[in-house]
């Protein structure tokens, strides 16, 4: 029943794309797991992820997050403002990212950003949903490819709309410290856990520490019209067909994004991370 409902939402979302205006800009795709062996909707089989990368390489311009920021901040008249592009991002830092996703990205020569929740990597404890973490050594190898940028996904993956100010500061600072120490460069980019906006205090803390911060909603980030600390990202799922991926990469499937964001607010109402 759940699969049938998700499929119906996707098809309705594609249908509503016809009447929604599309604008050139930056589409940020978000992945979570590749080849993790779970039945999670966001754990893509390796061959499905490879098919995604094949499509993106053939039909879109894939840029790094840093390049995307340059485009979003470009001056009027810059030709890149009218050139749609895609950014690939990952959340969390599970072992399958470095085991499977990074080799696939290297084969296709495509850049990506990983937002890592550092406590799990540093302490080598499984994520709350049971996935094993990657290691600092594997992340150093990943960044050495020149294709992988590592950002912060907090230290403990706490939801930032329900923490006290001192706890927010400590958590963010610990994440920044660990990434800088182990990877040689402090993170410039941040993604809110579960894509849920933080409290007013959390947003201030994030803005002070990072160049960008990411949420989720299937929307295009438009040059000259985007708050870099509210970057919109479009989630991908293993159930996405080639047509769904093409629509998402082009900035579509907005209805699905709005419904997913609403469901997340309800689902995680009593959660801490």
């Amino acid at each position: 029943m759940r699969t049938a409902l998700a499929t119906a939402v996707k098809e309705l979302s594609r249908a509503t794309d016809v009447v929604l205006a599309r604008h050139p800009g930056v589409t940020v795709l978000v992945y979570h797991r590749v080849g993790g062996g779970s039945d999670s909707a966001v754990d893509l089989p390796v061959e499905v992820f490879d098919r995604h990368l094949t499509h993106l390489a053939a039909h879109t311009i894939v840029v790094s997050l840093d390049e995307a920021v340059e485009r979003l901040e470009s001056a009027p008249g810059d030709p890149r403002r009218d050139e749609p592009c895609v950014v690939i991002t990952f959340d969390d830092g599970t072992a399958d990212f470095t085991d499977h996703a990074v080799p696939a990205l290297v084969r296709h020569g495509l850049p990506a950003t990983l937002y890592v929740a550092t406590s799990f990597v540093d302490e080598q404890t499984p994520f709350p949903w049971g996935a094993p973490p990657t290691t600092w050594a594997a992340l150093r190898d990943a960044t050495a490819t020149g294709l992988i940028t590592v950002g912060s996904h907090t230290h403990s993956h706490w939801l930032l709309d329900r923490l006290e100010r001192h706890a927010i500061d400590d958590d963010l600072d610990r994440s920044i410290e660990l990434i800088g120490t182990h990877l040689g460069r402090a993170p410039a980019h941040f993604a809110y856990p579960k894509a849920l906006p933080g409290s007013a205090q959390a947003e201030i803390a994030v803005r002070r520490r990072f160049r960008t911060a990411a949420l989720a909603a299937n929307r295009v980030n438009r040059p000259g019209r985007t708050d870099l600390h509210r970057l919109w990202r479009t989630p991908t799922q293993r159930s996405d067909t080639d047509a769904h991926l093409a629509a998402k990469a082009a900035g579509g499937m907005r209805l699905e994004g709005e419904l997913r964001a609403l469901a997340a607010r309800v689902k995680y109402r009593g959660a801490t991370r």
Side-chain angles (χ1 to χ4, degrees):
M1 179 64 71
R2 182 176 299 178
T3 301
L5 177 59
T7 300
V9 168
K10 289 179 185 295
E11 293 309 312
L12 179 59
S13 185
R14 284 186 64 201
T16 59
D17 282 348
V18 176
V19 298
L20 294 175
R22 294 194 188 183
H23 303 279
V26 178
T27 299
V28 184
L29 299 177
V30 53
Y31 291 87
H32 286 82
R33 304 192 65 189
V34 173
S38 74
D39 60 358
S40 169
V42 295
D43 187 352
L44 277 64
V46 174
E47 61 272 16
V48 172
F49 182 62
D50 192 78
R51 192 173 72 237
H52 281 206
L53 297 186
T54 298
H55 172 88
L56 295 173
H59 300 288
T60 72
I61 298 172
V62 179
V63 302
S64 68
L65 184 53
D66 288 322
E67 165 67 14
V69 170
E70 292 181 10
R71 289 169 177 251
L72 291 171
E73 292 186 322
S74 62
D78 189 320
R80 295 178 301 174
R81 288 172 70 95
D82 297 321
E83 183 179 59
C85 65
V86 171
V87 176
I88 299 170
T89 67
F90 276 80
D91 281 0
D92 302 327
T94 53
D96 48 89
F97 172 75
T98 43
D99 288 345
H100 302 300
V102 171
L105 290 161
V106 170
R107 285 197 303 272
H108 289 272
L110 298 178
T113 292
L114 167 69
Y115 297 104
V116 64
T118 51
S119 70
F120 304 95
V121 176
D122 199 56
E123 299 164 15
Q124 283 298 286
T125 55
F127 284 88
W129 49 94
T134 187
T135 65
W136 289 118
L139 288 176
R140 283 192 293 273
D141 289 343
T143 58
T145 66
L147 292 172
I148 307 301
T149 299
V150 175
S152 171
H153 201 37
T154 73
H155 180 58
S156 302
H157 207 270
W158 299 120
L159 302 183
L160 294 190
D161 60 344
R162 52 207 75 180
L163 288 184
E164 297 295 331
R165 178 177 177 179
H166 70 87
I168 295 170
D169 289 340
D170 290 347
D171 195 83
L172 296 179
D173 288 341
R174 182 60 173 153
S175 173
I176 293 169
E177 176 189 15
L178 284 169
I179 293 172
T181 297
H182 288 281
L183 303 182
R185 181 180 178 184
H189 307 291
F190 177 81
Y192 285 94
K194 304 298 186 184
L196 294 176
S199 63
Q201 291 179 330
E203 185 168 352
I204 291 171
V206 168
R207 287 178 180 271
R208 285 175 176 169
R209 289 167 171 80
F210 302 100
R211 188 180 185 191
T212 71
L215 293 166
N218 297 23
R219 303 179 190 175
V220 172
N221 299 283
R222 300 172 60 188
R225 295 173 176 265
T226 296
D227 180 349
L228 292 180
H229 289 89
R230 286 185 171 272
L231 284 179
W232 304 116
R233 294 194 297 163
T234 300
T236 59
Q237 299 91 34
R238 65 193 303 164
S239 59
D240 287 337
T241 65
D242 291 349
H244 295 146
L245 176 67
K248 289 183 175 183
M253 305 286 285
R254 286 173 55 182
L255 176 62
E256 182 196 51
E258 296 297 332
L259 292 176
R260 187 173 296 278
L262 176 61
R265 287 194 292 271
V266 173
K267 180 178 180 180
Y268 300 113
R269 183 175 294 161
T272 55
R273 64 185 184 186

